[in-house]
Amino acid sequence: MIQDIIKILSNGELVGYILKGTVGTLIVTACSALMGLVLGFIVAIVKIAAENNKYMKIPAFICNIYTTVIRGTPVALQLFILVFAVFAIPGFKPYAAIITFGINSGAYVSENIRAGIMSVDKGQLEAGRALGLTWFQTMIKIILPQAIKNIIPAIGNEMIALLKETSIISWVGATPGTLTFDLNAAANTIYHSIPNYIASGILVGCCYLVIVYIMVYVVKYLERRMRQSDKR
């Protein structure tokens, strides 16, 4: 096995596959994470607003259905439905996959954001309204800055989970040079040259481990900065 790992690392073409797979994985994860954050924030705000605004009840009901369905079904099933049915457009497969992961991530992110906002004392909202701020202004200027300390660790965990979930993107088809060519697809491609899944799997696993370690470091760095800002 060690010999096969050395063979892979000494072959420029095979190392190139790993690099392409890493880039594809990072692009898909970043785009999906951004979409998930935006969607999750909107859903969380709608759900919280519905508690005090009767006009938001229907949007909140729709958001509840969304989070229930997405969190209650496998992401692989969602991927196949969106890629091969909803967005069955020639050449649109990579973008359909990104949309799938973004929608899936948004459902989990929304609950993380909602939980973080709900953890802030309700008296803060009342104080903001007493100062003449609107509900939305109070949420943006007073509640969210306090809630973000609780949100960051949960969002970080979700981004790590999202990174690993994207490993199934190659199931819908992958060729080098496309966004669907991720690390998992790189391992499968390498296998055709050196038929040892353990060797290619270990190398790909190390790539995932390095990326996850960097993400964990960034999250911990942000947490430290937030704690330091509280002491000032």
Side-chain angles (χ1 to χ4, degrees):
M1 181 183 69
I2 296 177
Q3 292 179 342
D4 288 336
I5 292 177
I6 295 174
K7 287 180 182 179
I8 294 172
L9 294 176
S10 61
N11 188 312
E13 183 180 7
L14 300 184
V15 172
Y17 287 139
I18 294 177
L19 294 176
K20 289 178 181 178
T22 301
V23 171
T25 295
L26 291 175
I27 291 176
V28 171
T29 301
C31 293
S32 301
L34 180 60
M35 179 180 175
L37 285 171
V38 173
L39 185 57
F41 177 78
I42 293 173
V43 171
I45 293 298
V46 168
K47 284 186 175 183
I48 294 173
E51 296 179 2
N52 301 304
N53 189 332
K54 63 180 181 179
Y55 298 107
M56 298 298 292
K57 296 294 183 182
I58 294 178
F61 176 73
I62 296 173
C63 289
N64 282 324
I65 293 177
Y66 157 68
T67 54
T68 300
V69 171
I70 296 301
R71 297 172 70 193
T73 55
V75 65
L77 177 62
Q78 298 166 18
L79 180 64
F80 289 141
I81 291 175
L82 265 71
V83 171
F84 297 117
V86 179
F87 295 110
I89 305 171
F92 197 72
K93 187 182 296 182
Y95 308 104
I98 290 174
I99 292 173
T100 301
F101 292 120
I103 291 174
N104 181 272
S105 178
Y108 291 93
V109 169
S110 67
E111 290 303 301
N112 293 332
I113 294 177
R114 189 176 71 86
I117 292 175
M118 296 299 290
S119 67
V120 178
D121 193 322
K122 291 183 178 180
Q124 299 291 322
L125 179 60
E126 295 172 357
R129 298 304 300 274
L131 292 173
L133 298 176
T134 64
W135 183 91
F136 188 75
Q137 289 175 328
T138 304
M139 190 63 61
I140 297 297
K141 296 181 178 181
I142 298 177
I143 305 299
L144 280 179
Q146 297 180 65
I148 196 169
K149 293 180 293 184
N150 299 324
I151 295 174
I152 286 179
I155 296 296
N157 290 334
E158 169 54 28
M159 296 302 103
I160 291 172
L162 174 62
L163 169 72
K164 291 181 286 186
E165 285 177 353
T166 60
S167 62
I168 67 171
I169 194 173
S170 59
W171 292 5
V172 298
T175 54
T178 63
L179 290 178
T180 54
F181 190 81
D182 69 330
L183 282 167
N184 192 39
N188 293 331
T189 303
I190 291 173
Y191 176 79
H192 295 305
S193 299
I194 299 179
N196 188 331
Y197 264 128
I198 296 178
S200 59
I202 288 176
L203 290 175
V204 166
C206 289
C207 291
Y208 275 112
L209 187 61
V210 170
I211 296 172
V212 168
Y213 178 80
I214 293 173
M215 294 174 70
V216 170
Y217 176 82
V218 171
V219 171
K220 288 184 176 179
Y221 172 77
L222 292 175
E223 287 185 79
R224 288 197 301 270
R225 291 296 301 270
M226 293 299 297
R227 286 197 297 267
Q228 290 174 0
S229 64
D230 286 341
K231 296 178 182 179
R232 294 174 184 174

